[in-house]
């Protein structure tokens, strides 16, 4: 159907199909649009942010962030979150949901958009992005995997213009072949395997060439190697050429114009120039037909041309205009808003609570034992003082999501203070509070008497698109806030709502009895944290990154050149010389003990694991390289996805409460048969298992060929190593409870 559709169009119409638009006041309700072609019965389509729910729309849900979903380590809830988001995109009449995200992966712990993705670990991120894609697309909505690849910092992510008119190019992420495959592209292989409809190329340059015109990336890796069958769309204004980007594999230019400054004039590298490029032979019309076929194939496959697919909610044009402060350009009154939230608040509350990570709990301080005098401190406990659209850092107000394309226009936010007061009322407790960090940092506790039984300190760390974080410390003088509260209150509990990793210099303060990392929980924030604090939910989140004692232990400085350092248009260079040794891999390689390791998370109960592992190889003979005769399907050579080893263990709930354990499997490839730079161990399996008190259950991990292979840069293939592979299973990357080795039956 898609190719037949393309054949009906003239070249001018084809140009419109591959060049998007965004024009407030011209019937464009979405962040990206393909305009209708009425002659052939095409009504157009809508692309809308983002990875955590429908952005720039009214009466939609603000789901927990990707980082929170990753911290849940719950594959089913990752999927259910995707299903619910897909339902809302569909109900708004949106054809393409611009998400989920696995890039940035998180090379820089201070990266501004890390929270949109799931984890700095590629395996955990890959499982999460695939589950989310399947959930979104189960509703007939197209998902878009982004950002491919190397968009690891926001600073100079795209080009800039100096005062003298010189164009300075965006940062070049210079990544070696093996690191690109084993780290940064790994989760996108999972996305392709899951059948993702589209992929978004990133702003940055990759090895000196912009990602959206990088033939080696888009045609070489994404299509030829991974078997991607969907369409590639540019990030907004990430297209920097005409024929070069088209021939390199870019299929859809969004939102069409050269830059935001050219939106009114419509000036574009594509658009009307498509005809010129065909006529002068720099591109072929067959290539344009291929682009349209790729764009329209998922449209027809998901039945988005059918009458039962909802039309676009035209109120989104008004909410977009309101966000842009140009609402007065549109006629009044606005059209009615379509409420698409359903009962998703329950899922949001449940996921946010389950994703909360208990980092410290001295003497079983949590769950709370019905305190009658509750102190609430810190600006994050309050209602947002600047409204319900979290697009900037607010001095007072809880932080349910970060800013930029990944945020959502909240229809409501349950703040921690609201939820705590509601709970206190049911138990006859009183609540005292100071919600301005400046007052707490100044040591002014004159409004507090008597000293509360428990003091809950709420901190946050904002991050968003366009800018990277300046510091590891939580915002608004957080360290002094915690120290001053702890000085007054010997029973202090710290809760963080954070876009990523924070330093915690107060973690070992003896008055800080418990720490909860709640990340970015969505609009049910207060309810979900109260569920955990009072024990209605047993926390089972685990860290999707480590927390170092000293941030220097894993800090890779963001490239940030001064004006005097920009000596050429190509001055911005980021050399990924550390290879795969980022995050917990770096801590392992250098023998550094973290404050809280990757995969760490406490519970209100305890778990044990058998000390021996049952290891079974699933094939009598394996070739070192995958079977080339199988060709390439979605996800690459299908042999890569063949289970080759099964590992079985048994875990038990040895505590007094019902709770969920997160057993994790790590693999250590032999050093003597793998290239230099191989990590000490990498995550290659996990599960989440709900156990009653005293219950025991077997847990099984299946390792794929891909999981135990390394990328050989000479043969340009995945290769299984010879020798003993270490298998380690535990409850975090450092809490290993059982080990074994396996030597694969390789046919040499």
């Amino acid at each position: 159907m898609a190719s037949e559709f393309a054949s009906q169009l003239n070249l001018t119409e084809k140009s419109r199909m591959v060049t998007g638009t965004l024009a407030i006041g011209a019937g464009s309700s979405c962040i990206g649009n393909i305009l209708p072609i009425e002659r052939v019965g095409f009504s157009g389509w809508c692309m809308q942010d983002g990875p955590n729910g429908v952005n720039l729309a009214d009466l939609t849900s603000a789901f927990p962030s990707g980082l929170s979903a990753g911290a849940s380590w719950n594959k089913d809830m990752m999927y259910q979150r995707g299903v619910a988001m897909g339902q809302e995109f569909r109900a708004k009449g949106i054809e393409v949901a611009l998400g989920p995200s696995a890039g940035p992966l998180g090379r820089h712990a201070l990266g501004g958009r890390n929270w949109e993705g799931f984890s700095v670990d590629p395996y955990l991120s890959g499982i999460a992005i695939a589950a989310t894609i399947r959930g979104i697309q189960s509703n007939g909505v197209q998902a878009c995997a982004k950002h491919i690849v190397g968009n690891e910092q926001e600073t100079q992510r795209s080009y800039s213009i100096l005062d003298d008119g010189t164009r300075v190019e965006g940062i070049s992420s210079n990544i070696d072949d093996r690191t690109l495959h084993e780290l940064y592209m790994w989760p996108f292989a999972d996305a392709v395997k899951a059948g993702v409809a589209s992929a978004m190329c990133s702003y940055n340059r990759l090895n000196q060439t912009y990602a959206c015109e990088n033939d080696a990336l888009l045609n070489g890796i994404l299509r030829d190697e991974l078997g991607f069958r969907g369409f590639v769309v540019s990030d907004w204004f990430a297209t920097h050429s005409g024929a070069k980007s088209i021939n390199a594999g870019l299929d859809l230019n969004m939102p069409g114009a050269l830059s935001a400054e050219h939106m009114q004039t419509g000036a574009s590298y594509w658009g009307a120039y498509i005809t010129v490029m065909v006529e002068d032979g720099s591109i072929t019309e067959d290539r344009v037909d291929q682009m349209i076929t790729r764009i329209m194939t998922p449209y027809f496959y998901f039945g988005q041309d059918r009458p039962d697919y909802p039309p676009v909610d035209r109120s989104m044009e008004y909410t977009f205009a309101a966000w842009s402060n140009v609402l007065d350009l549109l006629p009044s009154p606005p059209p009615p808003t379509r409420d698409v939230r359903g009962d998703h608040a329950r899922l949001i509350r449940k996921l946010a609570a389950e994703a909360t990570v208990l980092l410290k709990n001295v003497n079983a301080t949590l769950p709370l034992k019905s305190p009658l005098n509750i102190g609430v401190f810190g600006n994050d406990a309050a209602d947002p003082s600047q409204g319900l659209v979290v697009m900037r850092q607010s001095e007072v107000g809880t932080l349910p999501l970060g800013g930029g394309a990944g945020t959502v226009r909240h229809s409501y936010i349950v703040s921690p203070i609201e939820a705590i007061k509601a709970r206190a009322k049911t138990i006859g407790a009183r609540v005292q509070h100071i919600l301005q960090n400046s007052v707490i940092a100044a040591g002014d506790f004159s409004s507090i008497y008597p000293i509360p039984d428990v003091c809950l300190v709420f901190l946050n760390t904002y991050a968003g698109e366009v800018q990277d974080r300046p510091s590891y410390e939580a915002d608004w003088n957080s360290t002094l806030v915690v120290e001053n509260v702890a000085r007054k209150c010997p029973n202090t509990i710290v809760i963080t709502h954070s876009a990523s990793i924070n330093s915690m210099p107060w973690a070992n303060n003896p008055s800080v009895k418990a720490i909860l990392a709640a990340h970015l929980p969505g609009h049910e924030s207060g309810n979900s944290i109260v569920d955990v604090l009072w024990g209605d939910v047993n926390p089972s989140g685990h860290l999707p990154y480590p927390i170092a004692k000293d941030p220097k232990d894993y800090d890779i400085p963001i490239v940030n050149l001064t004006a005097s350092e920009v000596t050429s248009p190509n001055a911005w260079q980021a050399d990924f010389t550390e290879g795969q040794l980022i995050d917990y891999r770096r801590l392992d390689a250098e023998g550094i003990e973290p404050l809280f390791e990757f995969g760490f998370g406490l519970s209100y109960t305890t778990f044990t694991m058998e000390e021996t592992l049952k290891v079974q190889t699933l094939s009598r003979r394996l070739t070192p390289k995958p079977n080339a005769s199988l060709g390439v399907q979605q996800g690459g050579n299908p042999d890569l996805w063949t289970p080759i080893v099964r590992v079985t263990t048994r875990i038990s709930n040895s505590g007094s409460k019902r709770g969920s354990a997160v057993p994790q499997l790590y693999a250590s490839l032999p050093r003597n048969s793998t290239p230099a730079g191989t990590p000490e161990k990498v995550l290659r399996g996990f599960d989440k298992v709900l156990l009653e008190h005293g219950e025991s259950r077997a847990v099984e991990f299946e390792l794929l060929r891909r999981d135990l292979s390394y990328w050989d840069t000479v043969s340009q293939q995945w290769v299984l190593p010879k020798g003993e592979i270490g298998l380690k299973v535990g409850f975090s990357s450092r809490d290993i409870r059982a080990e074994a080795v396996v030597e694969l039956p390789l046919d040499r």
Side-chain angles (χ1 to χ4, degrees):
M1 292 179 68
S3 58
E4 181 182 349
F5 174 84
S7 69
Q8 298 177 48
L9 306 179
N10 60 45
L11 192 52
T12 300
E13 292 166 335
K14 291 176 183 179
S15 300
R16 289 175 57 187
M17 283 296 304
V18 299
T19 308
T21 187
L22 192 173
I24 299 173
S28 299
S29 297
C30 305
I31 196 70
N33 304 268
I34 297 179
L35 295 180
I37 302 177
E38 295 177 1
R39 185 182 67 82
V40 293
F42 175 62
S43 59
W45 75 357
C46 162
M47 309 180 84
Q48 191 77 354
D49 292 320
N52 305 303
V54 183
N55 191 5
L56 300 177
D58 190 25
L59 298 182
T60 62
S61 300
F63 290 88
S65 68
L67 189 66
S68 287
S72 77
W73 292 65
N74 187 323
K75 300 172 189 177
D76 180 64
M77 292 209 74
M78 293 169 184
Y79 173 77
Q80 293 300 330
R81 172 178 173 270
V83 170
M85 288 195 299
Q87 288 171 348
E88 297 200 7
F89 276 96
R90 181 185 178 99
K92 283 289 187 183
I94 298 163
E95 280 80 15
V96 183
L98 297 173
S101 175
L105 186 67
R107 178 193 188 226
H108 301 290
L110 296 178
R113 300 186 77 173
N114 292 356
W115 61 276
E116 294 183 28
F118 303 97
S119 170
V120 69
D121 180 81
Y123 182 89
L124 176 54
S125 185
I127 296 295
I129 195 172
T132 307
I133 288 165
R134 289 193 296 269
I136 291 171
Q137 296 190 166
S138 70
N139 295 280
V141 174
Q142 302 177 50
C144 179
K146 63 182 193 179
H147 307 86
I148 299 175
V149 66
N151 190 171
E152 294 296 317
Q153 67 175 63
E154 291 297 283
T155 305
Q156 195 66 16
R157 66 180 185 177
S158 190
Y159 74 92
S160 59
I161 304 294
L162 300 182
D163 291 340
D164 63 4
T166 301
R167 172 173 161 138
V168 178
E169 304 299 344
I171 190 80
S172 178
S173 297
N174 303 320
I175 310 175
D176 69 87
D177 190 31
R178 186 181 177 206
T179 299
L180 186 64
H181 281 80
E182 294 192 36
L183 202 61
Y184 297 102
M185 283 300 295
W186 180 284
F188 291 111
D190 288 277
V192 175
K193 177 67 173 176
V196 70
S198 62
M200 183 184 293
C201 51
S202 52
Y203 284 113
N204 56 285
R205 291 180 291 159
L206 175 67
N207 298 328
Q208 311 305 319
T209 301
Y210 278 106
C212 291
E213 57 187 37
N214 194 309
D215 179 76
L217 173 65
L218 302 183
N219 285 327
I221 296 178
L222 192 57
R223 293 203 183 276
D224 296 343
E225 186 183 313
L226 294 182
F228 177 59
R229 297 175 183 173
F231 65 92
V232 177
V233 58
S234 68
D235 207 337
W236 270 228
F237 308 112
T239 304
H240 302 291
S241 62
K244 183 177 181 180
S245 57
I246 290 171
N247 291 327
L250 181 61
D251 300 306
L252 179 58
N253 178 5
M254 277 290 173
L258 293 173
S259 66
E261 291 73 23
H262 293 90
M263 285 304 301
Q264 296 303 317
T265 65
S268 174
Y269 287 110
W270 290 25
Y273 287 105
I274 295 284
T275 300
V276 176
M277 287 183 278
V278 170
E279 289 175 349
D280 68 18
S282 55
I283 65 172
T284 67
E285 190 166 358
D286 284 347
R287 167 63 182 132
V288 179
D289 289 345
Q290 181 188 59
M291 295 155 69
I292 296 169
T293 300
R294 289 172 174 174
I295 291 166
M296 294 301 291
T297 294
Y299 175 79
F300 290 121
Y301 177 81
F302 287 115
Q304 294 176 337
D305 60 320
R306 297 172 188 161
D308 62 346
Y309 200 87
V312 173
D313 182 348
R314 293 298 174 187
S315 73
M316 291 195 297
E317 184 176 3
Y318 285 73
T319 51
F320 186 18
W323 171 77
S324 304
N325 283 319
V326 293
L327 188 57
D328 56 349
L329 295 180
L330 301 181
S332 294
T337 296
R338 197 179 301 157
D339 188 342
V340 301
R341 295 170 295 175
D343 63 350
H344 295 156
R346 289 191 297 175
L347 173 66
I348 291 168
R349 181 172 179 169
K350 181 179 180 181
L351 174 56
E354 182 164 325
T356 299
V357 185
L358 179 62
L359 296 175
K360 181 180 180 180
N361 195 20
V362 176
N363 298 325
T365 297
L366 292 177
L368 295 176
K369 316 296 190 299
S370 299
L372 296 180
N373 185 358
I374 303 164
V376 180
F377 300 90
N379 57 3
D380 182 70
D383 289 326
S385 61
Q386 295 186 27
L388 298 179
V389 182
V390 185
M391 293 297 281
R392 61 187 67 86
Q393 191 175 29
S394 176
E395 182 174 1
V396 176
T398 194
L399 189 67
L401 285 175
T407 198
V408 176
R409 176 181 286 274
H410 298 71
S411 54
Y412 70 87
I413 296 173
V414 179
S415 65
I417 189 70
E418 177 186 351
I420 290 167
K421 284 183 176 181
R423 177 56 68 101
K425 188 174 182 180
T426 67
I427 58 177
R430 65 168 164 172
V431 177
Q432 303 183 70
H433 59 82
I434 303 176
L435 304 181
Q436 284 186 269
N437 280 22
S438 57
V439 173
I440 303 169
D444 183 359
F445 290 86
S446 57
S447 66
I448 303 298
Y449 183 84
I451 297 299
D453 301 329
V454 61
C455 295
L456 307 175
V457 182
F458 287 86
L459 309 177
N460 68 37
T461 305
Y462 175 85
E465 191 174 1
V466 180
Q467 62 184 16
D468 296 303
R469 290 170 53 198
S471 171
Y472 283 95
E473 183 181 8
D475 296 341
W476 306 109
N477 212 354
S478 60
T479 297
L480 189 54
V481 166
V482 174
E483 290 174 347
N484 282 351
V485 173
R487 193 174 292 116
K488 290 283 185 180
C489 183
N491 194 27
T492 294
I493 297 168
V494 180
I495 301 98
T496 64
H497 286 131
S498 177
S500 192
I501 303 173
N502 288 124
S503 57
M504 296 182 175
W506 35 262
N508 294 319
N509 186 313
S511 292
V512 176
K513 295 298 197 296
I515 303 171
L516 289 163
H519 297 106
L520 300 176
H523 69 232
E524 286 284 323
S525 173
N527 286 334
S528 62
I529 200 65
V530 161
D531 287 344
V532 172
L533 289 169
W534 268 268
D536 300 338
V537 173
N538 189 343
S540 57
H542 285 244
L543 289 176
Y545 52 74
I547 299 175
K549 294 179 178 178
D550 186 339
K552 293 179 181 178
D553 290 342
Y554 50 45
D555 181 60
I556 300 173
I558 289 167
V559 177
N560 193 4
L561 303 181
T562 63
S564 62
E565 292 173 314
V566 181
T567 56
S568 75
N570 293 306
W572 289 82
Q573 303 287 328
D575 298 324
F576 288 45
T577 54
E578 72 285 346
Q580 297 182 60
L581 302 183
I582 65 172
D583 199 70
Y584 74 91
R585 303 167 184 228
R586 176 175 173 179
L587 298 180
D588 286 350
E590 299 185 11
I592 299 171
E593 182 184 358
L595 181 64
F596 301 110
E597 68 269 20
F598 174 80
F600 178 81
L602 299 174
S603 170
Y604 295 156
T605 190
T606 56
F607 303 98
T608 59
M609 181 181 295
E610 285 187 347
E611 295 182 0
T612 58
L613 298 175
K614 179 182 177 182
V615 180
Q616 178 185 6
T617 55
L618 303 179
S619 177
R620 294 184 179 181
R621 190 179 72 177
L622 292 166
T623 57
K625 299 174 184 177
N627 185 350
S629 68
L630 297 177
V632 174
Q633 298 177 17
Q634 291 186 128
N637 187 313
D639 203 12
L640 291 170
W641 302 88
T642 302
I644 60 173
V645 173
R646 182 178 295 123
V647 180
T648 306
T649 186
R650 179 169 288 275
I651 58 174
S652 302
N653 183 342
S654 54
S656 59
K657 300 178 185 294
R658 182 175 185 255
S660 294
V662 181
Q664 303 158 36
L665 183 149
Y666 295 84
S668 298
L669 300 187
R671 295 297 185 90
N672 59 359
S673 60
T674 55
T678 298
E680 180 180 306
K681 63 178 178 291
V682 291
L683 181 70
R684 285 297 183 261
F686 67 90
D687 202 354
K688 194 158 198 176
V689 185
L690 178 62
L691 297 171
E692 301 292 340
H693 161 61
E695 185 181 2
S696 178
R697 189 178 303 174
V699 178
E700 214 172 67
F701 304 97
E702 282 197 339
L703 293 164
L704 311 179
R705 171 186 278 271
R706 173 181 183 239
D707 295 331
L708 299 179
S709 298
Y710 67 91
W711 179 255
D712 179 49
T713 59
V714 177
S715 66
Q716 291 290 288
Q717 293 190 62
W718 293 94
V719 178
L720 291 170
K722 62 181 180 180
E724 291 185 343
I725 297 173
L727 302 172
K728 304 176 182 182
V729 180
F731 296 119
S732 76
S733 66
R734 296 290 176 100
D735 183 11
I736 302 300
R737 303 295 181 93
E739 299 187 42
V741 296
V742 63
E743 187 162 0
L744 301 175
L746 296 180
D747 181 6
R748 297 292 177 181

